[in-house]
Amino acid sequence: MPVVNIGKVNNKGFELVLKWNHNIGDFKYWINTNLSYAKNTVVYKDEIPHKYPWLYETGQSVGQPFGFIFDGFVTDNDIKSGNLPDHKLDLKPGDAKYKDLNGDNIIDDNDQCPIGNPIYPQLTAGATIGFEYKGFDFSMLWQGSALCSVQLSGPAVWDFPLYDQSRTGKVRKMHLNRWTPETAATATYPALHYGIHNNNKQQYSSLFLYDASYIRLKNVEIGYTLPKAWTSKAGIQSVRIYAQGQNLLTFDRLGDVDMDPEIKNGDGSWFPVQRVVNLGINMTF
């Protein structure tokens, strides 16, 4: 192991902020937007020597996933021809295949390489839009990110995984498109296996690497402030009635994976995104 934990990272990018405020008579509106892009590169890391260049983290971004490259499903011809790389497992038709990067006809840790984008977004953006008109007010906040990946495992994507005390993970919607002899041409998920299967249920592979880009309507609020002529008679300075919603809409590229794209822990141990609606009254005396 390295004697000292040292390294050097080069980070470059830009940030753009645009704001617009305008009045049209009693109608006042605003649009505030921001966009940032940042890409970092590990210039130096005190790594142990590797046999192949694709194994080095140096030259990659911080948080870059490494794993096997999914190369389709095992077929009867693969098994009969004997050309299937040795996975050190008894593979059957429908099981996942991975690329043999070093050509030694063995799938092992030497065949892991950078896959996808880093887990930290390189592109982030947001927009706040709102208006006020004769006591009414409205505002909403959109946010999003792109050029990022999430590596999933465990109950997030695996079929029938086993856990302590013989607990079994649930089957998910994506498993309906599993490999079978009848669906071999269209399947996107390997053949199902109960319990442990170190080949198909591989924690580090492009098969379970997903695009974590998203756009979310983070907050919406609409309100109405009663005329002072009404409230002053009751000795109240102002009264505002409002409704607010949080996490109302999310657009992502996770497909059948039911998770928050902002969560980087991909093993399924998370709470679902909560959609919150609030109703309230603000009174100032």
Side-chain angles (χ1 to χ4, degrees):
M1 296 298 291
V3 178
V4 182
N5 182 17
I6 57 176
K8 183 178 180 180
V9 176
N10 186 2
N11 190 54
K12 293 182 178 181
F14 67 86
E15 184 174 11
L16 178 65
V17 177
L18 298 175
K19 296 183 179 181
W20 177 265
N21 297 279
H22 191 57
N23 289 2
I24 305 175
D26 294 333
F27 185 76
K28 175 183 178 182
Y29 70 96
W30 61 90
I31 302 173
N32 300 327
T33 62
N34 63 82
L35 175 70
S36 64
Y37 173 80
K39 180 176 176 57
N40 61 64
T41 302
V42 178
V43 178
Y44 173 76
K45 181 178 180 179
D46 193 15
E47 298 184 75
I48 61 173
H50 293 296
K51 190 174 181 180
Y52 303 101
W54 56 80
L55 298 175
Y56 283 93
E57 295 182 38
T58 302
Q60 303 297 329
S61 296
V62 176
Q64 172 64 52
F66 280 71
F68 300 105
I69 299 177
F70 172 65
D71 195 27
F73 301 114
V74 175
T75 65
D76 288 323
N77 289 335
D78 291 328
I79 297 175
K80 293 176 181 178
S81 65
N83 294 326
L84 186 68
D86 184 7
H87 292 59
K88 298 181 180 180
L89 295 167
D90 183 19
L91 299 186
K92 305 293 184 183
D95 289 339
K97 294 190 297 185
Y98 304 104
K99 285 190 176 181
D100 179 16
L101 296 183
N102 59 359
D104 63 356
N105 207 38
I106 298 175
I107 301 298
D108 56 20
D109 289 344
N110 288 323
D111 297 303
Q112 294 195 30
C113 66
I115 52 177
N117 290 305
I119 62 174
Y120 306 110
Q122 297 179 14
L123 185 68
T124 58
T128 302
I129 303 170
F131 70 84
E132 295 177 359
Y133 179 70
K134 293 184 177 181
F136 289 96
D137 63 88
F138 172 83
S139 66
M140 62 179 175
L141 169 62
W142 290 86
Q143 68 177 38
S145 65
L147 300 179
C148 51
S149 300
V150 58
Q151 181 73 67
L152 301 183
S153 62
V157 286
W158 292 349
D159 54 291
F160 302 110
L162 292 180
Y163 300 97
D164 295 339
Q165 301 177 354
S166 299
R167 291 178 299 160
T168 306
K170 295 181 178 179
V171 174
R172 296 186 173 272
K173 185 177 180 180
M174 68 186 70
H175 301 147
L176 295 175
N177 202 28
R178 66 196 182 278
W179 186 97
T180 66
E182 293 75 25
T183 64
T186 59
T188 58
Y189 192 93
L192 301 186
H193 291 273
Y194 181 82
I196 297 173
H197 195 280
N198 292 327
N199 185 74
N200 292 1
K201 300 170 190 180
Q202 170 56 244
Q203 184 175 359
Y204 305 105
S205 80
S206 61
L207 177 61
F208 298 128
L209 187 75
Y210 286 78
D211 186 344
S213 303
Y214 77 95
I215 298 175
R216 170 172 290 158
L217 180 56
K218 186 67 176 179
N219 187 280
V220 175
E221 185 168 331
I222 186 170
Y224 178 69
T225 301
L226 299 181
K228 290 186 177 181
W230 298 1
T231 58
S232 60
K233 296 179 180 180
I236 303 174
Q237 186 175 346
S238 66
V239 176
R240 179 175 178 266
I241 304 170
Y242 69 91
Q244 181 192 68
Q246 299 177 11
N247 301 323
L248 298 182
L249 293 172
T250 300
F251 304 95
D252 59 47
R253 306 187 67 180
L254 294 174
D256 293 333
V257 179
D258 184 17
M259 62 168 284
D260 183 355
E262 290 189 87
I263 295 178
K264 301 307 174 186
N265 180 10
D267 65 357
S269 56
W270 57 68
F271 289 101
V273 179
Q274 291 186 335
R275 185 175 298 164
V276 180
V277 177
N278 297 313
L279 301 175
I281 299 177
N282 287 333
M283 303 179 68
T284 302
F285 295 91

